[in-house]
Amino acid sequence: MPHFPMFVDLEGQNITVVGGGTVALRKIEKLTSFGGNIQVIAPEILQEIEEIPNLRLQRRKFRYRDLFPRPALVIAATNQSDLNHKIALFCRRRRIPVNVVDDPAYCSFLFPALVQQGSFTAGISTDGASPVAAAYYKEQLRQMLPNHLEEILLWLQEQRPLLKSEIPRQSQRAAVFRKLFDACITADRPLTAEEASAYFTRPISGSVALVGAGCGKADLITLRGLRLLQQCQAVVYDDLIDTKLLDAVPESARRVYVGKRAGAHAAPQEEINRILVDLAKSGLRVVRLKGGDPYLFGRGGEEMLALKENGISCQEVPGIPSPIGIPAEAGIPVTHRGISRSLHIITAHTSDTADGLPADFDALAQLSGTLVFLMGLHQLPKITTRLMAAGKCADTPAAVLSGGNAPHPSRVRATLSTLEDAVKSAQVEAPAIILVGDVAAMDLEAPDSP
C-alpha cells in the first residue's frame, strides 16, 4: 500500500542518523536544507559528511540511549542489516518515525525523490518499487519549472496580505491570485508594481469552457480540454464521461453533477444554463464537461447562447463524437473508399413530428452513404420499417452499438430487416447508436484491442 505524502516542519527538530558512509551521506544531504539538528553516530564517518556544517558527529558505536530524548526522525544507514532492523523495531515501539536505507519493509517513512526551488518542494515516491521511475519523473518535473520560480513564489507570498485586504471574497481573491501566478509564469519573473495593480483594480469575471470529453476512455479528451480541467475552479458534468477525468480537476474545485442521460433523472437544460452563468458571474473558471462533442446533439449551442447573452467569456473545445468514436471502437469505419463516401448523422428524437423522426426521413433511404441515428434505440422498429418502406434494401448491413462509457456495452450486427429481433435477443440497453450502411459489415478491430 502506498505511503501517504506529508510535509513535516523539521526546523529545530532533533534528527539522528546512525551510519557514516555514502548512504548516510545521501540522506543527510536531503535533510540539511530543512533546518533540523542532525546528529550522526558511527565509528567511522566520511570526510564529505564531516565537511557539512552544523552537524553533531559522534565517532562511536550506536547505543539505544542515543534515542533519548525522543528524536523527530531516525535514519538507520549502517552497513549492518541486523543493526538497522533492531533500530527500526525499537523506534516503532516508541512511535519514532524511522527510515531504514534500502529496506522499505522496515521503514515507517520513505525519503522521496526531491525537487526543490526555494519554498517550492515536490516529493516523488514509488513506494520503493522503482527508484529509477522516481528519478525519471523528478527530472521531468525539474525541467517543467520556470527559471525564477523562487523569486516568483516569494513575490506572490508578499501579495497575499494585500489581496486579503483588497478583495474580501475568497472566490474572487483566488481568481486574482491565479491570474497573478499565470502572468508571472508567462513573464518568468515577479510582476512590477504597475503590472500587478491592474489585476487588483480590474473587475474579476469568470469564464466557461464547453469541453467535449469524447465518447470513451479518459485519454480521448484533447490536450486543450485536459489543460482546462486541470486549471478550473468548478466543473459541471454529465453521465457518460469517464469519471477518471475528474481526477484531473483541482481538489479545491466545485463539482456539480447534472445527469443528462436518456430515461434518467437529470437537471433541466434551463437549470444547467443558470448554473453555468451563476458560477461564472461569481468569478470562477468553469468547465462544462460533456460526453462526446458539445455541439453534436449535446445542446452545447444552447448553453453557449445563454452564456453569450449574459456576457460570459466562453469557448468550445471539440470532442470525439459518438457517431464516429463508437463505430471505430467496434471496428467499423463510418466512411471507406469504394463503400461509403458520405456520413449522415440523424437524431431519432425530434419533438415536432408525429413519430419523433425527422420530417425528411424518407429521403434518407435514397442515400448511399452511412446513416447513424442517435438517441433512437426505442425508435428502432420505426426506423427500420420506414427505411425499408422508402426503398432501402432489407439486406443492407446494419448495427446497434453501445460502447464508450455506456453502463451495458454491446455490439449487434445484422441486416436492416433482422436488426430489431437481433437487438431484442441481445437485450441491448440505451444509450446506443444505430448504424445503417455497407460499412456495418466491416470489422477492422485489432485482434488485441482492449
Side-chain angles (χ1 to χ4, degrees):
M1 182 176 293
H3 285 62
F4 178 75
M6 183 171 64
F7 291 90
V8 178
D9 181 10
L10 294 178
E11 183 68 36
Q13 298 293 315
N14 292 329
I15 300 169
T16 297
V17 178
V18 184
T22 55
V23 177
L25 174 63
R26 293 202 308 266
K27 304 295 185 181
I28 293 168
E29 287 175 336
K30 286 189 174 184
L31 289 166
T32 50
S33 61
F34 294 95
N37 299 322
I38 302 175
Q39 173 183 229
V40 181
I41 303 172
E44 297 180 3
I45 298 175
L46 286 178
Q47 183 176 347
E48 291 92 331
I49 295 178
E50 293 179 343
E51 292 172 354
I52 298 175
N54 302 320
L55 299 182
R56 289 191 297 125
L57 305 180
Q58 305 284 343
R59 291 181 179 83
R60 56 172 174 78
K61 291 183 178 180
F62 167 76
R63 299 173 302 211
Y64 286 106
R65 63 174 177 266
D66 291 323
L67 302 182
F68 295 89
R70 185 178 184 276
L73 300 177
V74 171
I75 294 91
T78 77
N79 58 4
Q80 303 172 52
S81 59
D82 287 347
L83 177 57
N84 289 343
H85 294 169
K86 289 177 181 178
I87 293 171
L89 293 173
F90 182 84
C91 288
R92 283 180 173 272
R93 284 196 297 268
R94 296 197 62 212
R95 299 185 182 276
I96 302 172
V98 61
N99 176 269
V100 179
V101 295
D102 300 326
D103 203 339
Y106 282 84
C107 296
S108 60
F109 77 93
L110 300 178
F111 272 77
L114 286 174
V115 179
Q116 191 176 9
Q117 273 197 46
S119 56
F120 175 88
T121 304
I124 303 167
S125 171
T126 61
D127 243 25
S130 176
V132 172
Y136 170 80
Y137 286 108
K138 172 183 175 178
E139 185 57 31
Q140 294 295 306
L141 179 56
R142 192 191 302 279
Q143 293 178 16
M144 289 172 57
L145 299 181
N147 295 325
H148 300 96
L149 180 59
E150 182 174 0
E151 299 97 304
I152 291 171
L153 292 177
L154 286 172
W155 182 83
L156 289 171
Q157 186 177 26
E158 293 171 357
Q159 308 311 305
R160 294 187 73 86
L162 182 58
L163 270 174
K164 285 185 177 181
S165 63
E166 294 287 332
I167 307 174
R169 191 170 182 176
Q170 194 279 333
S171 62
Q172 291 188 341
R173 189 164 64 243
V176 172
F177 211 75
R178 176 71 198 206
K179 291 178 183 295
L180 289 173
F181 174 76
D182 289 343
C184 288
I185 295 301
T186 301
D188 194 18
R189 59 170 174 79
L191 301 185
T192 65
E194 183 178 354
E195 290 170 333
S197 65
Y199 292 95
F200 284 86
T201 58
R202 187 183 302 158
I204 299 302
S205 59
S207 62
V208 177
L210 308 183
V211 175
C215 55
K217 294 181 180 178
D219 57 3
L220 286 180
I221 195 171
T222 63
L223 289 175
R224 182 185 300 175
L226 180 60
R227 185 177 69 251
L228 288 166
L229 265 184
Q230 293 168 336
Q231 298 175 352
C232 77
Q233 295 170 305
V235 58
V236 180
Y237 63 100
D238 288 344
D239 283 310
L240 302 182
I241 64 164
D242 188 337
T243 54
K244 290 181 180 178
L245 284 170
L246 298 179
D247 294 340
V249 177
E251 188 175 342
S252 60
R254 293 181 59 181
R255 290 164 168 78
V256 182
Y257 170 70
V258 291
K260 300 299 289 179
R261 182 192 296 174
H265 174 75
Q269 187 60 52
E270 295 76 12
E271 175 68 8
I272 295 174
N273 294 349
R274 186 194 63 76
I275 290 171
L276 295 176
V277 170
D278 288 350
L279 288 172
K281 284 187 174 181
S282 71
L284 299 179
R285 291 186 309 280
V286 184
V287 165
R288 171 71 170 107
L289 190 62
K290 302 170 73 73
D293 180 88
Y295 283 167
L296 186 62
F297 299 131
R299 305 187 76 170
E302 296 175 43
E303 293 172 359
M304 184 65 77
L305 287 172
L307 294 168
K308 286 184 172 294
E309 287 171 1
N310 284 273
I312 305 297
S313 174
C314 47
Q315 62 174 304
E316 191 267 355
V317 180
I320 298 174
S322 60
I324 295 174
I326 298 301
E329 184 180 63
I332 299 175
V334 290
T335 64
H336 192 80
R337 188 169 66 170
I339 297 179
S340 173
R341 295 180 175 86
S342 61
L343 169 65
H344 310 274
I345 302 170
I346 309 107
T347 177
H349 191 72
T350 303
S351 61
D352 56 357
T353 62
D355 61 2
L357 298 178
D360 56 354
F361 185 87
D362 290 352
L364 298 172
Q366 309 306 317
L367 299 173
S368 60
T370 305
L371 307 178
V372 178
F373 296 90
L374 302 186
M375 301 173 289
L377 187 60
H378 68 291
Q379 293 276 65
L380 181 61
K382 294 179 183 178
I383 291 170
T384 56
T385 299
R386 285 194 58 180
L387 283 175
M388 289 186 290
K392 201 74 170 174
C393 178
D395 291 334
T396 301
V400 170
L401 308 169
S402 180
N405 294 304
H408 305 287
S410 58
R411 300 173 184 175
V412 175
R413 296 174 188 249
T415 63
L416 187 59
S417 61
T418 61
L419 186 61
E420 180 185 350
D421 289 340
V423 167
K424 286 181 179 178
S425 177
Q427 297 182 330
V428 179
E429 297 184 27
I433 68 167
I434 302 166
L435 187 147
V436 179
D438 290 338
V439 292
M442 300 181 68
D443 186 357
L444 304 185
E445 186 176 15
D448 59 348
S449 178

